[in-house]
C-alpha cells in the first residue's frame, strides 16, 4: 500500500524555491545532519508561510527563530472529487428527501481502510450515475448523523431508499460486494 506524504519540514539556511532534483538536495545544509532525499517529481519546496498545511507554530523561543520549508505534493491539489460530501446540515435534503436510492460512505481522514474504499465508491458513483446518488460523510465533522445511525466502525456504507436505511456494509469490501447491495434497491 502506498504512503501519502502530506508535508515534510526541513530546516534550511538558504534555498531557492524550485522543483527538487538530486543536485538541489545536496545544496541543503541542516544543522544536525545532511538530508539525502531521492529525486521526486511533483514535489516543490515552499516557504512555511505559504505552505498549504503550515499548522505548526512553536511557542518555544529556541525553535521560534528557525526557518524552514515544506515539501508539498502538488498532486493533492489536482484531485477531483467525484463523490460529494454530505454534512449534518445537508443530510435531510440530500439523503432523506432524495427521490432515488442514496449510497452514503461514513469515513474519517485518519482511517486507512476508508482511503482504500474511496476509489471503489468513486467508480460506483460513475457506474450508477442517474440511478443512484453517492455521498460521503466525514464522521469527525458530522458526528450527529453518525451517532443517529449507530456508526461504530468505519468505513461503513449505508444504502437509503425513500428516506430509510435499507442496507449497510461495514469495512473495506470489494466492489462486487457493494454492487450486490446496490442492485437490490435499483
Amino acid at each position: 500500500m502506498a504512503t501519502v506524504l502530506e508535508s515534510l519540514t526541513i530546516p534550511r539556511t538558504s534555498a531557492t524555491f524550485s522543483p527538487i532534483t538530486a543536485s538541489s538536495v545536496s545544496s541543503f545544509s541542516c544543522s544536525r545532519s545532511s538530508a539525502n532525499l531521492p529525486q521526486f517529481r511533483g514535489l516543490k519546496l515552499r516557504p512555511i508561510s505559504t505552505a498549504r498545511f503550515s499548522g505548526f507554530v512553536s511557542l518555544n523561543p529556541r525553535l521560534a527563530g528557525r526557518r524552514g520549508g515544506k515539501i508539498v505534493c502538488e498532486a493533492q491539489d489536482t484531485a477531483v472529487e467525484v463523490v460529494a460530501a454530505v454534512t449534518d446540515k445537508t443530510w435531510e435534503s440530500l439523503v432523506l428527501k432524495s427521490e432515488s436510492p442514496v449510497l452514503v460512505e461514513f469515513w474519517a481522514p485518519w482511517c486507512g481502510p476508508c482511503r482504500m474504499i474511496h476509489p471503489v465508491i468513486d467508480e460506483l458513483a460513475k457506474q450508477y450515475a442517474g440511478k443512484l446518488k453517492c455521498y460521503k460523510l466525514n464522521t469527525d465533522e458530522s458526528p450527529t448523523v453518525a451517532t443517529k445511525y449507530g456508526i461504530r466502525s468505519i468505513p461503513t456504507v449505508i444504502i437509503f431508499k425513500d428516506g430509510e436505511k435499507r442496507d449497510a456494509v461495514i469495512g473495506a469490501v470489494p466492489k462486487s460486494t457493494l454492487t450486490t447491495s446496490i442492485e437490490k434497491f435499483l
Side-chain angles (χ1 to χ4, degrees):
M1 180 163 71
T3 302
V4 176
L5 173 67
E6 287 190 7
S7 65
L8 170 69
T9 301
I10 301 175
R12 63 180 170 81
T13 55
S14 66
T16 58
F17 301 106
S18 61
I20 294 178
T21 62
S23 61
S24 66
V25 169
S26 62
S27 69
F28 289 119
S29 63
C30 299
S31 59
R32 293 186 184 165
S33 65
S34 70
N36 292 322
L37 299 173
Q39 182 176 354
F40 292 100
R41 295 175 191 244
L43 296 176
K44 284 192 176 180
L45 183 65
R46 294 184 189 166
I48 286 181
S49 62
T50 61
R52 185 172 159 198
F53 296 105
S54 58
F56 175 73
V57 177
S58 175
L59 298 177
N60 185 338
R62 290 185 311 140
L63 300 176
R66 285 192 184 170
R67 294 178 4 179
K70 288 218 176 209
I71 297 176
V72 180
C73 178
E74 292 180 323
Q76 69 188 3
D77 296 328
T78 61
V80 177
E81 298 272 333
V82 175
V83 178
V86 65
T87 64
D88 287 340
K89 294 177 184 174
T90 60
W91 179 259
E92 188 174 342
S93 62
L94 294 177
V95 178
L96 300 181
K97 292 184 177 178
S98 176
E99 306 252 336
S100 60
V102 179
L103 179 143
V104 180
E105 175 197 3
F106 292 82
W107 72 288
W110 47 264
C111 169
C114 297
R115 288 188 223 150
M116 290 170 47
I117 202 170
H118 281 323
V120 175
I121 301 296
D122 289 345
E123 287 176 26
L124 291 170
K126 290 176 186 173
Q127 181 179 338
Y128 291 102
K131 300 176 189 174
L132 176 76
K133 293 182 182 178
C134 295
Y135 297 106
K136 58 184 177 180
L137 183 132
N138 183 335
T139 57
D140 290 344
E141 294 175 358
S142 301
T144 305
V145 173
T147 302
K148 178 180 177 181
Y149 290 95
I151 305 301
R152 294 177 179 250
S153 298
I154 53 175
T156 295
V157 176
I158 298 180
I159 299 173
F160 294 86
K161 188 169 182 180
D162 300 324
E164 295 180 15
K165 176 181 170 181
R166 298 296 174 109
D167 199 5
V169 178
I170 299 171
V173 296
K175 182 179 176 181
S176 58
T177 304
L178 294 171
T179 302
T180 303
S181 289
I182 292 168
E183 292 292 333
K184 293 185 226 174
F185 304 104
L186 293 182

